[in-house]
Amino acid sequence: MEFHILPFLAFLSVMVVASHAAISPEAYWKSMLPNTPMPKAVKDLLPNEWMADKGTSVGKPGKRTNVGVGKGGVSVSTGHKGKPVYHKTQLGIIPAIPIIPTIPIIPIVPTIPIVMTTYAATEDQLHDIPDVALFFMEKDIKMGTKMPLYFTKSTTPTTFLPRQVAEKIPFSSEKMPEIMSYFSVKPDSKEAEIMKKTVKECEEPEIKGEEKYCATSLESMVDFSTNKLGKNIQGVSTEVDRETQLQKYSITGVEKMAGDKAVVCHKQEYAYAVFYCHKIQTTKEYVVSLVGADGTKAKAVAVCHMDTSAWNPKHLAFQVLKVKPGTVPICHFLPEDNIVWVPK
């Protein structure tokens, strides 16, 4: 089945109020995780420009180019040499923020809600399952195993907002009218429906053994992960060296990551980068090296759930693998824009 992207232009007006200098999300990462490389899934979402109060200058540290952004212009800059800083009250306008509707059928690599343990597949979805290894057994993660896979990059060019900006924007079902106003979204539009769904999923109660949190900034995602796992952690994401079509991949290497617990963060459909993060226990994580039939190389993160007894009995995984809850470990690869946090 073919799906169409429905982008829309939403002008996000945010007020940056900082009485003291504030560091960028990238600098915050380095301060909290100084010896931890930043995964590609995070790098891809870092904004290239930072708000400052020096006219409408945009450029790299030490360089300055006057550029107008949005109607009326906006003060955007990396600031002076060194790390970006936020000064007095500024009105920033980030134009053309597209939203891609949540795909109601099965995406190539499962994302929320497919991986949500409370999720139940419908009859229509079962009939529309593509010939792709959505779920597999842990015993399949070995050299030589071949799987039909289709790795895709996110086509939603959203970025992280600095925490001091994100925290000033409401994010709750009770505040949906205000949120719609922020984004100039019509309440009865498809875009509004998508945003409401994302917020609602973030507000759903935790299941047994799960600790969840929706991070609206990189800083808050780092804080949640370090709070649950400690600071000696690493973030890992799936990486593919080029975009390809559906094809068979062969496993050429397997590396098991440390620990039996992890925090997995799934990118959500929203007007800026939002991640549904949850701490999961009784799991095993692997970095699996793959080579496609056309020579494409990938390092995919596989998460194996060792205890599925609390999952919805109608979860897609059970129906695809034809097993019952709590009987065998169930594994899946993470999409390129998801992040798994594990102890080093």
Side-chain angles (χ1 to χ4, degrees), residues 251-271:
I251 295 180
T252 59
V254 177
E255 177 187 352
K256 185 183 181 301
M257 289 187 272
D260 60 352
K261 58 184 178 180
V263 169
V264 181
C265 294
H266 309 271
K267 190 170 184 291
Q268 301 296 283
E269 302 296 347
Y270 210 66

Side-chain angles (χ1 to χ4, degrees), residues 4 6 17-18 25 27 45 49 55 85 104 113 116 127 156 173 177 201 207 209 244 264 269 275 287 303:
H4 299 282
L6 301 177
V17 181
L45 297 177
E49 300 163 346
V85 296
M116 287 179 65
H127 289 303
T156 308
S173 295
E201 287 176 352
I207 67 166
T244 65
V264 181
E269 302 296 347
F275 279 80
V287 175
V303 176

Side-chain angles (χ1 to χ4, degrees), residues 124-151:
D124 288 341
Q125 287 175 326
L126 290 174
H127 289 303
D128 287 320
I129 294 175
D131 185 21
V132 177
L134 292 173
F135 297 97
F136 47 91
M137 306 287 195
E138 186 183 18
K139 63 182 179 63
D140 296 325
I141 306 178
K142 60 183 179 181
M143 298 281 287
T145 296
K146 294 184 178 182
M147 300 181 180
L149 299 168
Y150 180 24
F151 293 104

